[in-house]
Amino acid sequence: MAILIVADHDNHTLQAATFSVLTAASEIVKHISDTELHLLIIGDECQSVVAMAQGITGLSKILVADYQIHQYPLAENIAPLIFSLVQEQGHCNDENREFDKVEYSHIITSAGTTGKDYQPRVAALLDVAQISDIISVESADTFKRPIYAGKAIATVQSSDAIKVLTVRSSAFTAASLTTELSAIESQVPVVALVAQADSGKSAFIKAELTQSSRPELTTAKIVISGGRGMQNTDNFELLYTLADQLHAAVGASRAAVDAGFVANDLQIGQTGKIVAPDLYIAVGISGAIQHIAGITGSKAIVAINNDPDAPIFDVADYCLVADLFEVLPELIAVLKVKD
Amino acid sequence: MKILVAVKRVVDHKVNVRVKADETGIETANVKMAINPFCEIAIEQAVRFKEQGSVDEVVLVCIGPKEADVQLRAGLAFGADRAILIRTDEEVQSLDVAKILHKIVQEELPDVVLLGKQAIDTDNNQTGQMLAALTNMPQGTFASNIVFTVPNTVKVTREVDGGLVTLALSLPAVITVDLRLNIPRYASLPNIMKAKRKVITMTSPDSLGVSLSPRLTTLKVESPPVRQAGIKVADVAELVDKLQLQAKGFKWQY
């Protein structure tokens, strides 16, 4: 038996979410005897990702589908690939044409937008349910996941032979599974998968990605978020300055995104990103249920708001009732002095 | 062109839901129900396409109890043409929803199936993708812009983790919508009155030949851990002090 982990990467590096998924997978392994971990890397010219993966301890096999059709992750091409891998219960090694019989009990990936896109498609092809956004592993078939914008936690048991899961990466610490082992010394076998045909049903046209030198929102240790109270795009500069002083990521509430202050990929909440930093600073955010859903995993929450009745103060550890336009410059000045 | 829009009846998004004392689920008795906000955006988009002349017919489909006709009437008042209600009082899980919708797609042969990206009760974010798999259609998930182009192609701009990505999908296609696609209208009274005369066809999973087979059992539903009450700080100096000295699990170093 084996667990198939589908890697998150950008064709150059393995993304942090993969390491959280590895943690979740190793927690599943504790409940099953005699099981292996296989990492599946689907991409195009992703040799550096494979090299990184070879430094991960605990993997029994790395499966690689390195083909041009996977340059951009299209669900129509990824889902049949994973489906055939699991359904045939084995895979062909290109070089020696050996067929390895492996039965997969779990297919697991992170609940980023890519995983959310293809994983349910995989589940439907396999005619099994999918369990989305798990936050804990109770046993090999039982998992906890939030429902109703995190207002409730459901414990869900699957009766399917194959469990198809997505993992909330902020709920599992990113295991430092990498060793000093160089790729050459690594004993983890790398298996090249045979090419699949392009579905021909979808094509990548363009990407407009937000460029930022700040840490990635979902893995940052400190996150500073602005809401409607920021009033306009220019005022977000105050948050950027503060964020740079603290090496923090910048997030936003839906109100701030809808008003056009910042790009949509900064939205934190039920329908945006889920964060769980050591410190979350909410500035000018009232704290709607849908926003709180994205931040309750934070270790410490600071709220700065001029409305003493703002619901954000119900979840904040440190509440400062004040005008953010006075507080932010003060904070920036204080931090500058301490530098 | 014909658009099929899937609609779910859920607890209104403004309701502060409570977990039942026996931890079997959420208290839904006497709680306000509404169209799932993402489904509302899907209906709005379909109706806009119809108003622009690129779509001839908008058909709503809902799986739920007979009370869900309230939500379907509300959707018809937006400007949809007719609706199908697949009546069941059972909990229908994503895979079975996709299977039922698959049957409807086979009957209706729409060019596009629009769904919300997720229902705000179960937060699964699965049904559209599963339907796309079963119907072997391409999928455009988390759409913030949809443009029809010739021949038989739809361009979908998607909200993804790093920003936006645009794909071209061949029709027929399944598209799930994100919040940024549009702002749904308020139905006017004349349109609400008109919607009363529109047809809602009733059917059931059985008569469509789908037997529900839930794969997941909810063992328990509990409230999330409650955060300890916080403290109020007087000014920035005190805030910085507290964060440096005693923030739980966090040492502020800069």
Side-chain angles (χ1 to χ4, degrees), chain A residues 59-107:
Chain A
L59 291 180
S60 305
K61 201 170 285 182
I62 298 169
L63 308 168
V64 183
D66 189 341
Y67 296 106
Q68 210 263 322
I69 63 159
H70 299 305
Q71 190 179 25
Y72 180 79
L74 294 168
E76 295 79 5
N77 288 341
I78 292 177
L81 171 74
I82 299 175
F83 173 66
S84 65
L85 199 58
V86 174
Q87 195 207 29
E88 288 165 15
Q89 297 179 356
H91 37 267
C92 212
N93 188 327
D94 244 4
E95 281 162 35
N96 51 21
R97 314 302 284 175
E98 270 176 25
F99 201 74
D100 299 329
K101 271 272 184 202
V102 190
E103 225 175 291
Y104 287 108
S105 58
H106 297 74
I107 308 168

Side-chain angles (χ1 to χ4, degrees), chain A residues 76 116-117 121 127 130 132 148 153 155 157 203 206 208 210 246 258 267 270-271 273 317 319, chain B residues 99 117 121 123-124 126 129 137 139 141 161-162 164 166 168 180 215 217 219-220 222 231 233 252:
Chain A
E76 295 79 5
K116 283 179 187 171
D117 187 42
R121 195 164 176 125
D127 193 31
Q130 188 204 255
S132 300
Y148 287 89
I153 307 295
T155 305
Q157 185 172 38
K206 65 170 178 179
E208 298 147 81
T210 312
L246 294 167
D258 280 352
Q267 185 177 325
Q270 182 183 20
T271 66
K273 289 182 178 149
D317 301 291
C319 313
Chain B
K99 286 178 180 176
K117 78 162 178 180
D121 51 0
D123 281 336
N124 275 326
Q126 300 171 355
Q129 295 90 314
M137 288 185 195
Q139 65 190 53
T141 49
D161 283 336
L164 299 172
T166 304
R180 233 76 57 188
R215 314 299 180 81
T217 313
L219 303 179
K220 189 162 107 175
E222 57 200 314
I231 56 162
V233 292
W252 199 358

Side-chain angles (χ1 to χ4, degrees), chain B:
Chain B
M1 199 152 72
K2 187 197 250 187
I3 294 194
L4 185 71
V5 186
V7 180
K8 187 176 184 185
R9 168 187 162 91
V10 298
V11 171
D12 187 275
H13 73 279
K14 290 190 281 293
V15 171
N16 202 349
V17 295
R18 280 207 310 277
V19 171
K20 284 183 187 167
D22 62 0
E23 299 195 323
T24 55
I26 292 293
E27 198 59 71
T28 51
N30 301 316
V31 169
K32 190 185 174 202
M33 303 298 280
I35 302 178
N36 177 44
F38 289 97
C39 304
E40 216 171 29
I41 292 167
I43 303 170
E44 172 67 32
Q45 195 60 40
V47 170
R48 284 187 191 190
F49 284 137
K50 195 184 169 198
E51 287 165 349
Q52 291 158 11
S54 49
V55 163
D56 311 302
E57 191 182 26
V58 176
V59 183
L60 307 182
V61 54
C62 178
I63 302 162
K66 73 170 193 312
E67 293 82 10
D69 65 356
V70 177
Q71 278 68 44
L72 285 175
R73 290 282 171 212
L76 292 170
F78 272 39
D81 297 288
R82 59 187 171 88
I84 302 163
L85 175 58
I86 295 119
R87 269 193 61 178
T88 172
D89 293 320
E90 307 289 309
E91 175 213 355
V92 190
Q93 296 179 353
S94 304
L95 185 62
D96 283 333
V97 172
K99 286 178 180 176
I100 294 168
L101 292 178
H102 183 200
K103 293 285 180 190
I104 301 293
V105 165
Q106 285 173 332
E107 281 177 14
E108 295 283 339
L109 300 172
D111 298 281
V112 172
V113 187
L114 277 182
L115 303 91
K117 78 162 178 180
Q118 74 190 63
I120 58 160
D121 51 0
T122 51
D123 281 336
N124 275 326
N125 197 331
Q126 300 171 355
T127 303
Q129 295 90 314
M130 288 180 160
L131 176 64
L134 299 178
T135 54
N136 196 25
M137 288 185 195
Q139 65 190 53
T141 49
F142 329 138
S144 63
N145 193 33
I146 304 168
V147 180
F148 293 106
T149 53
V150 278
N152 287 327
T153 307
V154 62
K155 274 190 190 174
V156 177
T157 302
R158 307 174 52 229
E159 297 203 358
V160 299
D161 283 336
L164 299 172
V165 159
T166 304
L167 304 179
L169 311 177
S170 62
L171 294 177
V174 174
I175 301 173
T176 74
V177 306
D178 217 317
L179 281 177
R180 233 76 57 188
L181 183 63
N182 62 47
I183 297 166
R185 69 193 65 193
Y186 288 98
S188 64
L189 188 59
N191 284 340
I192 293 170
M193 299 310 288
K194 240 187 264 174
K196 290 187 175 173
R197 293 193 298 272
K198 291 180 180 172
V199 178
I200 298 181
T201 315
M202 297 270 196
T203 178
S204 68
D206 275 351
S207 48
L208 291 167
V210 179
S211 54
L212 303 181
S213 61
R215 314 299 180 81
L216 305 174
T217 313
T218 301
L219 303 179
K220 189 162 107 175
V221 174
E222 57 200 314
S223 294
V226 181
R227 288 189 79 96
Q228 295 279 310
I231 56 162
K232 212 166 159 182
V233 292
D235 51 27
V236 168
E238 192 187 346
L239 174 64
V240 173
D241 265 10
K242 295 278 190 225
L243 284 176
Q244 276 172 316
L245 295 174
Q246 59 169 69
K248 47 178 185 179
F250 175 73
K251 191 96 180 94
W252 199 358
Q253 289 165 327
Y254 51 84

